[in-house]
């Protein structure tokens, strides 16, 4: 039998802390049990996915909400440009050199896929521009590449929707670029609502987005799309789908859905049709 002088130093430290706190000191066996349990706990392995966001992106936490526990997000931002949220800003955010540098900045932790999380930057130059953006990311070393607007088209195909209503926070000139992009993919837009914002889009409230969705919805629309990754949507997607009786998809949602699919993972959400339709039980 050991005497107290033979006991490990960490046990003396634990007892001292308990005495200082006025708590009873556990039996020696209990101390061993705590230490052994801690030592046996396995650290879960983390996969990584990279995210390229605009310089003014303010919703990092929203992206994390779609990520499963075994996936870490590695987020970087595109260079700042001193322009409002216009076609010029979208074009600046899609410049090949900036995107290449952003992809390379994410490669050190070896992500399974890299996503370009900007709706306007990925549709501003039409379908050809989105394809070029995708090629640029792969050429820079991304093991798999996803853009918000590319993921939007894949999501609509998955949902079987080719007639949609559209909600954007943009001024008309930017919204028009989105509508033209959708037309190139044979997606008809039944109606659209733009909020006309030139800055601080991340401050748009759930209530404002919900009102715009109800205003934009049309009987002929098979789904509603909420554009811009700087618009909060996570908590209102499922309730809006129940109210409207049709899929409601959003820029951050389709980005994370597509990015996690590329990484052979599944996005986390309850009651969101896009996520549920891709679930194993729905196959």
């Amino acid at each position: 039998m050991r005497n107290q002088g033979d006991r490990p130093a960490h046990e003396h430290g634990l007892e001292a802390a308990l005495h200082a706190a006025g708590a009873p000191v556990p039996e020696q066996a209990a101390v061993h049990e705590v230490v052994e349990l801690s030592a046996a706990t396995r650290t879960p392995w983390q996969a990584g996915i990279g995210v390229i966001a605009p310089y003014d992106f303010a919703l990092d936490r929203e992206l994390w909400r779609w990520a499963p526990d075994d996936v870490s997000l590695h987020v970087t931002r595109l260079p700042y440009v001193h322009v409002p949220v216009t076609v010029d800003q979208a074009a600046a955010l899609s410049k090949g050199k900036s995107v290449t540098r952003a992809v390379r900045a994410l490669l050190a932790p070896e992500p399974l896929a890299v996503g370009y999380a900007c709706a306007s930057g990925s549709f501003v130059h039409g379908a050809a521009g989105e394809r070029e953006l995708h090629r640029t990311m792969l050429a820079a070393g991304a093991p798999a590449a996803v853009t918000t607007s590319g993921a939007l088209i894949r999501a609509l195909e998955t949902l079987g929707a080719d007639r949609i209503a559209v909600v954007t926070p943009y001024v008309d000139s930017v919204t028009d670029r989105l509508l033209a992009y959708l037309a190139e993919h044979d997606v008809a837009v039944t109606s659209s609502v733009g909020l006309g914002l030139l800055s601080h889009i991340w401050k748009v409230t759930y209530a404002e987005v919900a009102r715009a969705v109800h205003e934009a919805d049309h009987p002929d629309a098979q789904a509603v799309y909420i554009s811009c990754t700087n618009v909060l949507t996570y908590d209102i997607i499922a309730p809006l789908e129940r109210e409207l009786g049709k899929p409601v998809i959003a820029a951050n949602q389709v980005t994370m859905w597509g990015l996690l699919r590329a990484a052979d993972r599944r996005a986390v959400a309850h009651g969101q049709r896009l996520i549920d339709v891709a679930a194993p039980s729905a196959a």
Side-chain angles (χ1 to χ4, degrees):
M1 179 177 178
R2 295 188 311 191
N3 58 40
Q4 182 153 335
D6 295 328
R7 292 170 64 189
H10 65 261
E11 292 183 18
H12 291 302
L14 175 62
E15 290 188 9
L18 290 170
H19 276 303
V25 179
E27 294 296 327
Q28 182 175 337
V31 174
H32 274 300
E33 190 175 3
V34 171
V35 172
E36 288 170 0
L37 177 61
S38 176
T41 301
R42 296 180 61 186
T43 301
W45 182 74
Q46 288 285 293
I49 58 175
V51 176
I52 301 168
Y55 62 88
D56 64 342
F57 184 66
L59 305 183
D60 301 57
R61 178 65 191 131
E62 169 147 299
L63 296 183
W64 277 95
R65 297 183 72 183
W66 276 287
D69 288 341
D70 65 342
V71 171
S72 288
L73 304 188
H74 313 310
V75 183
T76 192
R77 277 165 170 73
L78 294 163
Y80 174 78
V81 289
H82 188 59
V83 293
V85 182
T86 59
V87 168
D88 289 340
Q89 186 211 44
L93 291 172
S94 64
K95 287 184 177 178
K97 289 183 179 180
S98 296
V99 173
T100 294
R101 284 194 293 269
V103 171
R104 290 175 178 167
L106 292 168
L107 295 182
E110 301 180 348
L112 298 177
V114 176
Y116 177 88
C118 179
S120 61
S122 54
F123 65 63
V124 67
H125 295 306
E130 190 280 326
R131 290 192 296 269
E132 179 59 28
L133 186 60
H134 186 267
R135 284 193 294 267
T136 296
M137 294 169 69
L138 293 176
V146 172
T147 72
T148 298
S149 296
L152 165 61
I153 301 305
R154 303 291 86 75
L156 292 174
E157 291 171 350
T158 297
L159 293 167
D162 60 7
R163 297 190 311 279
I164 67 171
V166 170
V167 170
T168 86
Y170 315 130
V171 294
D172 289 347
S173 58
V174 181
T175 299
D176 289 344
R177 294 289 182 106
L178 171 57
L179 304 187
Y181 172 81
L182 290 167
E184 287 187 86
H185 289 281
D186 297 321
V187 177
V189 175
T190 61
S191 50
S192 66
V193 170
L195 300 181
L197 300 179
L198 290 170
S199 65
H200 296 85
I201 289 173
W202 66 89
K203 294 184 178 181
V204 176
T205 65
Y206 278 157
E208 291 172 299
V209 176
R211 280 197 297 271
V213 167
H214 281 283
E215 182 182 349
D217 185 34
H218 188 279
D220 292 338
Q222 298 165 319
V224 180
Y225 174 55
I226 306 166
S227 191
C228 190
T229 54
N230 238 350
V231 174
L232 276 169
T233 55
Y234 188 93
D235 291 307
I236 60 174
I237 291 172
L240 284 169
E241 289 184 326
R242 290 194 296 270
E243 290 172 9
L244 302 181
K246 65 185 66 175
V248 175
I249 58 177
N252 280 329
Q253 180 202 40
V254 299
T255 303
M256 289 301 294
W257 169 80
L259 191 49
L260 287 162
R261 284 184 67 186
D264 197 26
R265 299 294 190 277
R266 185 186 168 215
V268 176
H270 178 68
Q272 296 181 10
R273 293 198 192 185
L274 177 62
I275 309 305
D276 291 343
V277 77
S281 60

